[in-house]
């Protein structure tokens, strides 16, 4: 098996792993993070319900967990097919989807402060526009394991740059010979 195919499959398996670890961690600790964020909003003089009204949530819901696990199955299957010499075309089709869809969703997690600031800035309530989003996100982050944020950054890199790299690796001459 060419190194390029093995590297592509490894990138896919690493991405799949993040789709198990991150949602499970958020499922287990999201409530604590949500309470910490709401307490920070209350400390700033606002009702904790402000977060929900603006679509800001730190708790993982069952449908989100199921979607993440579904993505895990698809990406793991792609890696397995690539290792078996049969998944290149499917990877060429699905990696751009992963790049766009997963990259977009993960970007909102990577840039959580900006996302939260934008949500508050759009509020009709002038008081909400004054909430310190950075402090809210910092409070919520304290409710999650310390390793979660770096892993979110890794997932973003694997979903974006990693997807591009998978396509390149599966396009090498050695990969051509392997998949022929």
């Amino acid at each position: 098996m060419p190194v390029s195919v093995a590297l592509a499959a490894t990138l896919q398996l690493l991405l799949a792993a993040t789709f198990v670890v991150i949602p499970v961690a958020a499922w287990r600790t999201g409530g604590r993070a949500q309470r910490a964020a709401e307490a920070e909003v209350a400390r700033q003089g606002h009702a904790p319900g402000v977060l929900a009204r603006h679509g800001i949530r730190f708790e993982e819901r069952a449908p989100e967990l199921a979607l993440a696990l579904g993505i895990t199955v698809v990406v793991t299957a792609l890696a397995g097919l690539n290792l078996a010499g049969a998944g290149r075309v499917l990877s060429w089709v699905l990696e751009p989807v992963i790049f766009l869809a997963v990259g977009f969703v993960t970007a909102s997690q990577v840039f959580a402060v900006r996302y939260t600031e934008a949500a508050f800035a759009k509020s009709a309530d002038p008081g909400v526009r004054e909430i310190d989003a950075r402090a809210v996100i910092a409070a919520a982050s304290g409710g999650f394991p310390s390793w979660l944020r770096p892993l979110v950054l890794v997932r973003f890199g694997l979903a974006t740059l990693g997807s591009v790299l998978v396509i390149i690796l599966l396009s090498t001459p050695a990969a051509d010979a392997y998949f022929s």
Side-chain angles (χ1 to χ4, degrees), residues 38-177:
E38 289 171 353
E40 175 58 28
V41 168
R43 189 193 67 72
Q44 293 183 35
H46 301 278
V50 152
L51 295 176
R53 284 195 310 274
H54 291 84
I56 299 165
R57 201 173 30 76
F58 301 96
E59 294 176 289
E60 188 85 358
R61 290 187 278 176
E64 295 161 339
L65 182 61
L67 176 62
L69 296 177
I71 292 169
T72 299
V73 169
V74 169
V75 176
T76 301
L78 281 176
L81 288 169
N82 284 325
L83 291 172
R88 179 166 71 167
V89 172
L90 200 51
S91 286
W92 282 346
V93 170
L94 292 179
E95 284 296 334
V97 174
I98 291 168
F99 175 85
L100 293 172
V102 175
F104 177 75
V105 169
T106 306
S108 70
Q109 296 166 340
V110 169
F111 302 107
V113 171
R114 289 184 189 156
Y115 173 81
T116 306
E117 287 172 340
F120 290 162
K122 293 177 188 174
S123 177
D125 180 350
V128 171
R129 291 193 296 263
E130 295 173 8
I131 293 176
D132 181 356
R134 189 169 302 279
V136 172
I137 297 301
S141 294
F144 290 119
S146 61
W147 49 263
L148 189 64
R149 175 78 177 152
L151 190 56
V152 166
L153 298 174
V154 167
R155 179 170 67 180
F156 181 69
L158 288 168
T160 55
L161 298 175
S163 290
V164 171
L165 190 54
V166 165
I167 293 167
I168 292 168
L169 289 167
L170 295 178
S171 300
T172 64
D176 285 344

